[in-house]
Amino acid sequence: MVIRSPIRGLTIGAAVLATLVAGCAALRPPVRSVSIQRTAHGIAHIEAPDHESLAFGVAYAYAEDNFCQSADQLVTIRGERSRYFGPDAKALLGLRELQNDEIDIFVRSHMDDAALAAALRAASPGTRALYRGYIKGFNRYLHDHAGRLPRACNGAPWVRPMSEADYLRLQELLMVQLGVALHADAIAGASPPAAGEPVAAAPGVQEAVAALQRFHANEPLLGSNGWAFGSKVTRNGRGVLLGNPHFPWQGVNRFWEVHLTIPGELDVMGAAIGHSPLVQIGFNHDVAWTHTVSTGRRFTLFELALAKDDPRSYVLDGSIVPMTAQRVSYEVVDAQGKVTTREHTVWRTRFGPIVEAPKAGLAWNRTHAYALRDANSLNLRALDIWLGFSRARNVRDMRAALAGLGMPWVNTIAADRAGHAMYADVSVVPDVDAAQLQRCAPSKEAAALFTAARIVVLDGSRSDCDWQRDRHSPVPGWLPIERMPVAVRRDWVQNSNDSFWMSNPAIDWPAFSPLIGEIRHPQSLRTRSGLHEIRQRIAGTDDIAADTKVGIADLQAMLFGNRNHAAYLVLDDFLPVCREATDEALRAGCAVLTAWDRRDNLDSRGEQVFREWWRAARKIDGVWRRPFDPANPMDTPAGLATDDARVRTELLRALAKAIETVRAAGFALDAPLGEVQVYTTKHGPVGLHGGPEFEGVLNKVEAAGPDTLASGGYRIDFGSSYIQTVTFDDRGPVAEAIMVYGQSSDPDSPLSFDQLPLYTGKRWMRLPFHAEDVARERVGDVQHLTLD
């Protein structure tokens, strides 16, 4: 057969044509199939042939549950909040609620699309494939559901497809949300002093520390408990793990449960925050891991000596260097819908943007200013670490993955099937050791911020004090793993957001950079509560079981026992004092405290009286009978100094105030906690067990904002979120978990807070990991997507 070509004089044989067609087909990318199955509570199980198609499926499935939340976050990272929602409204920038104009100014000044794109080009092939796939998956969902999106964003003018720059910005904000993003308003508000403006007196250290709480210097906005047990103490001789992150219940820092499979390459299940294409906390066939926010510092400030008579220039190595005036513009909509453009100047230096917070001791006057450099900026290496975790066969493999550096701001706690437990604070920390801290010390007032609040300020007048020697280095100025704390053991390790020091008291740690964390320092009550529970379990002296071993049921009982550690430290000293009171109200409050079970369970009566009393009592000067002893950090401070008449008087005054607060809020003193502490769903308020940080309750729940008792009770919106307990048998992982708020951020979705009854009832869900278990428990049809 001969086919005549439309080109005169040219004929093509059928065999030749077939060869050409086949060749052209071979040049086209293969069509890849992605399957999505859902099991109970909407957990997504995604299988794909490669990284790009896997991320495509993740983005699509995540959008099914959280599209409007994602679209809103894209408005944030584009710097368009004032354009669509007005400049004075507030929204979350990472973890802080700020005005929209402050958010837009920060985003438009901080996000460097060219630098982010260059970092992506330098990233691993796996990371680049994951980025491509996620963007395509989000946009495919938007295309498939045009006009049929959830009501919160359907038809909204701010809903647009995701670009590569958008996704890079999402990841950048995730990396810097515990660093430079916390200071966005101080960057937007920085302006040079006016001519002739006098230099104000520096605030005292305590005043500065109080002002720094605006940036959460001492009280991070995220927390967690992470425990790992090895073969010496577990029931089955294999690893056992508890992961209990304490994260917000609203916004893109909510977790989402997912199971990811690339046949023959990875099979991993767990959860992730934001727009991650990979599991961040979870398990595979051989290892399980969790993360806790570490004490490592992610940024440093640089104290600049300003040029004489020119506060817009600074002195560096004896030379005058002018600051850069970065002009940013952003659109603003007014109440009538009129859109105008505003401009703002952000001042930048070689060290980063100028920050101004005079009450915190960070004034921009005619002699000094302060610039901030965040080590996590342009950090695209984290995905490679989580990819390494997904493939790991043991904790040694996990350590090897961490050695690549890039874990942004968390510790890693892990256990493997062979019975090893690992603790590692291998996260992004500027490479500044104790010698450099001393050599590059700033003014006395600025140096005091490190002792008081662990705010690192370095001398910005010398280039040799800059820890970022080469911005283009793969790990620019970060501490290497060899100089960071890592321990692999057969007994146990733990972390509840204190430093590495007490991860296991038997470890004799070498000296590390002070920027990693403190030693010989008081531990939080939550850390001490965890250490108490672990010691009791291993000694067999708790009421959980008669033996001395640990399994996942034991971990669940330890966490949800809701033991109030503060109560056990102080009530035995306080009750004799309050029983002597003659005031009727004090005697009533004392009777309630006496009868209270010292736990934060739904049926615990009177916990609110203790909470409001301890909120004030813990701040009384000299309140502890046994002060902190570095030689006994697990059991000190403890007791109340009731022999001191002043302390005794203030303790009773605090009880009177607590009673007044509880009654003014409309609650009986002995009301059960389940009536006082609630989360309000679309169906009404739901009572919650658990308690706040300052009471030392492991199962931490509290309000992200002010948490004093008021009408309606304690309004909880932060704390225990995705909770997993994992061990291993001959088949692989055995995991039970709860996602407190469910898979969906859409209040209209049936997956919004549908797991809350599991949490309130202390009922754990067995997670289906093996293919046959997923098939048996599948809900609905398998969803098939194609990517070419």
Side-chain angles (χ1 to χ4, degrees):
M1 177 180 178
V2 174
I3 299 175
R4 188 166 299 278
S5 167
I7 302 176
R8 181 175 297 177
L10 178 64
T11 57
I12 304 174
V16 173
L17 181 62
T19 301
L20 290 172
V21 170
C24 291
L27 292 174
R28 290 199 304 267
V31 174
R32 290 162 286 176
S33 177
V34 180
S35 69
I36 303 174
Q37 303 180 72
R38 298 273 187 162
T39 53
H41 300 286
I43 297 176
H45 303 258
I46 302 169
E47 182 173 319
D50 57 28
H51 296 104
E52 183 177 354
S53 54
L54 186 72
F56 177 87
V58 171
Y60 197 97
Y62 183 78
E64 288 180 323
D65 299 335
N66 298 286
F67 181 84
C68 291
Q69 176 179 269
S70 294
D72 182 85
Q73 184 70 354
L74 289 175
V75 178
T76 296
I77 56 88
R78 289 167 179 154
E80 296 178 345
R81 297 209 66 85
S82 300
R83 165 66 179 84
Y84 292 106
F85 307 117
D88 299 325
K90 291 188 174 183
L92 285 173
L93 176 70
L95 294 162
R96 280 192 68 199
E97 187 177 65
L98 298 172
Q99 286 191 180
N100 284 340
D101 57 352
E102 294 171 328
I103 293 173
D104 292 342
I105 290 167
F106 171 77
V107 167
R108 289 177 176 246
S109 65
H110 175 82
M111 297 296 179
D112 186 338
D113 292 333
L116 286 166
L120 181 60
R121 288 193 297 272
S124 71
T127 289
R128 295 198 302 272
L130 290 166
Y131 273 57
R132 289 195 304 271
Y134 199 97
I135 296 163
K136 291 176 181 178
F138 178 90
N139 291 338
R140 170 69 176 275
Y141 181 87
L142 175 58
H143 174 270
D144 289 353
H145 295 81
R148 297 182 293 111
L149 297 170
R151 63 185 176 91
C153 61
N154 191 39
W158 41 268
V159 174
R160 302 201 303 271
M162 181 188 294
S163 68
E164 179 181 275
D166 290 337
Y167 193 59
L168 284 164
R169 288 182 174 205
L170 289 172
Q171 299 307 310
E172 172 74 357
L173 182 55
L174 174 66
M175 294 296 107
V176 303
Q177 65 177 336
L178 287 181
V180 66
L182 287 177
H183 301 79
D185 51 343
I187 293 169
S191 60
E197 181 178 327
V199 176
V205 172
Q206 293 307 313
E207 181 184 353
V209 169
L212 283 168
Q213 292 316 299
R214 158 185 165 195
F215 309 114
H216 300 273
N218 280 339
E219 181 77 17
L221 285 164
L222 301 174
S224 303
N225 302 311
W227 301 346
F229 298 85
S231 58
K232 286 186 176 180
V233 297
T234 59
R235 297 188 185 284
N236 58 8
R238 303 181 189 273
V240 174
L241 179 107
L242 166 72
N244 175 215
H246 305 145
F247 272 57
W249 291 6
Q250 309 294 333
V252 295
N253 282 293
R254 287 169 50 109
F255 284 92
W256 185 70
E257 290 178 280
V258 67
H259 179 190
L260 305 176
T261 304
I262 299 177
E265 181 172 342
L266 64 83
D267 193 9
V268 60
M269 189 172 187
I273 60 173
H275 302 89
S276 172
L278 294 173
V279 167
Q280 295 169 329
I281 291 177
F283 54 91
N284 65 20
H285 187 269
D286 298 299
V287 300
W289 75 93
T290 190
H291 294 301
T292 60
V293 176
S294 92
T295 55
R297 302 292 89 180
R298 314 302 161 194
F299 65 90
T300 67
L301 294 168
F302 291 87
E303 186 177 56
L304 306 178
L306 301 183
K308 185 178 180 180
D309 299 326
D310 183 7
R312 302 181 186 191
S313 298
Y314 57 100
V315 179
L316 183 66
D317 297 332
S319 299
I320 304 299
V321 180
M323 296 180 188
T324 300
Q326 181 187 12
R327 299 291 292 175
V328 297
S329 61
Y330 59 102
E331 292 184 321
V332 174
V333 64
D334 64 18
Q336 287 71 45
K338 182 181 179 182
V339 177
T340 57
T341 299
R342 290 183 182 176
E343 289 194 343
H344 188 88
T345 300
V346 171
W347 295 90
R348 307 192 72 86
T349 72
R350 67 166 276 167
F351 302 105
I354 297 293
V355 297
E356 186 174 15
K359 292 182 179 179
L362 304 175
W364 186 356
N365 54 38
R366 301 197 68 80
T367 60
H368 290 91
Y370 296 87
L372 186 152
R373 168 164 286 157
D374 191 327
N376 266 313
S377 186
L378 304 181
N379 174 15
L380 300 187
R381 301 171 68 89
L383 285 186
D384 281 331
I385 297 176
W386 284 311
L387 197 56
F389 286 4
S390 297
R391 299 166 173 154
R393 301 293 299 275
N394 49 54
V395 297
R396 292 188 303 276
D397 290 346
M398 301 187 75
R399 185 193 185 283
L402 285 167
L405 302 184
M407 189 59 73
W409 27 259
V410 289
N411 302 292
T412 300
I413 296 91
D416 65 25
R417 201 152 63 105
H420 300 96
M422 181 183 77
Y423 165 83
D425 187 358
V426 182
S427 53
V428 171
V429 176
D431 189 357
V432 176
D433 60 16
Q436 184 173 345
L437 271 181
Q438 185 174 8
R439 177 173 56 83
C440 295
S443 65
K444 181 180 177 181
E445 294 80 8
L449 295 178
F450 183 68
T451 302
R454 299 199 69 240
I455 297 296
V456 182
V457 186
L458 301 174
D459 182 357
S461 69
R462 297 162 49 193
S463 59
D464 64 346
C465 290
D466 188 357
W467 44 266
Q468 184 171 284
R469 284 80 165 172
D470 179 5
R471 176 171 179 163
H472 302 290
S473 168
V475 283
W478 301 345
L479 281 168
I481 190 172
E482 292 79 13
R483 292 194 280 125
M484 303 196 81
V486 180
V488 176
R489 302 179 62 85
R490 287 280 188 175
D491 51 1
W492 58 272
V493 293
Q494 67 79 37
N495 184 266
S496 290
N497 308 118
D498 279 303
S499 78
F500 60 90
W501 182 40
M502 286 286 109
S503 54
N504 184 310
I507 300 174
D508 183 16
W509 292 106
F512 295 110
S513 164
L515 272 65
I516 295 175
E518 298 174 289
I519 62 172
R520 302 178 64 80
H521 183 78
Q523 304 294 284
S524 74
L525 290 186
R526 183 160 52 85
T527 292
R528 291 172 60 189
S529 180
L531 290 167
H532 172 86
E533 293 283 356
I534 292 169
R535 287 188 297 169
Q536 293 279 96
R537 175 81 298 271
I538 291 173
T541 54
D542 58 17
D543 57 3
I544 292 174
D547 62 12
T548 61
K549 298 297 183 180
V550 179
I552 62 173
D554 304 297
L555 298 185
Q556 294 166 5
M558 293 157 76
L559 178 66
F560 281 172
N562 291 315
R563 182 180 181 277
N564 190 304
H565 197 67
Y568 281 89
L569 291 176
V570 301
L571 267 189
D572 287 342
D573 284 345
F574 180 60
L575 291 178
V577 174
C578 71
R579 286 172 185 149
E580 295 176 357
T582 57
D583 178 84
E584 183 178 344
L586 289 178
R587 292 178 66 85
C590 193
V592 168
L593 291 178
T594 301
W596 173 46
D597 64 4
R598 305 188 186 187
R599 295 185 181 269
D600 285 39
N601 288 317
L602 291 175
D603 58 356
S604 295
R605 292 184 171 274
E607 195 281 342
Q608 61 274 12
V609 176
F610 178 82
R611 185 177 302 185
E612 295 306 315
W613 170 73
W614 183 239
R615 188 191 304 280
R618 67 195 175 100
K619 299 176 182 177
I620 296 172
D621 185 41
V623 70
W624 294 109
R625 174 166 47 85
R626 296 169 56 206
F628 171 67
D629 179 0
N632 187 16
M634 291 184 282
D635 298 316
T636 59
L640 295 174
T642 55
D643 290 343
D644 185 319
R646 176 191 57 81
V647 171
R648 196 163 56 247
T649 297
E650 292 193 39
L651 289 171
L652 289 172
R653 186 178 296 126
L655 179 59
K657 177 62 176 175
I659 292 166
E660 178 184 330
T661 298
V662 173
R663 287 175 169 167
F667 294 99
L669 299 183
D670 63 348
L673 183 61
E675 293 181 4
V676 183
Q677 180 170 270
V678 299
Y679 181 82
T680 301
T681 71
K682 61 185 177 183
H683 303 298
V686 177
L688 302 174
H689 56 86
E693 178 79 26
F694 69 85
E695 291 183 283
V697 182
L698 284 168
N699 176 27
K700 175 179 173 178
V701 294
E702 55 191 24
D707 62 347
T708 51
L709 185 60
S711 178
Y714 299 113
R715 297 289 182 170
I716 303 302
D717 59 0
F718 176 92
S720 286
S721 49
Y722 171 68
I723 316 171
Q724 67 173 18
T725 54
V726 188
T727 189
F728 302 89
D729 61 17
D730 291 340
R731 295 177 69 209
V734 178
E736 295 184 355
I738 299 172
M739 177 84 86
V740 174
Y741 38 65
Q743 289 282 78
S744 180
S745 56
D746 179 359
D748 294 333
S749 169
L751 301 180
S752 172
F753 283 90
D754 65 320
Q755 295 188 50
L756 191 58
L758 298 181
Y759 174 78
T760 59
K762 301 182 180 180
R763 294 180 287 114
W764 296 74
M765 174 173 55
R766 179 66 61 92
L767 296 181
F769 179 79
H770 302 287
E772 59 271 27
D773 298 331
V774 174
R776 183 178 60 253
E777 299 182 28
R778 187 179 70 237
V779 176
D781 297 330
V782 180
Q783 188 174 12
H784 294 284
L785 304 173
T786 57
L787 173 66
D788 55 21

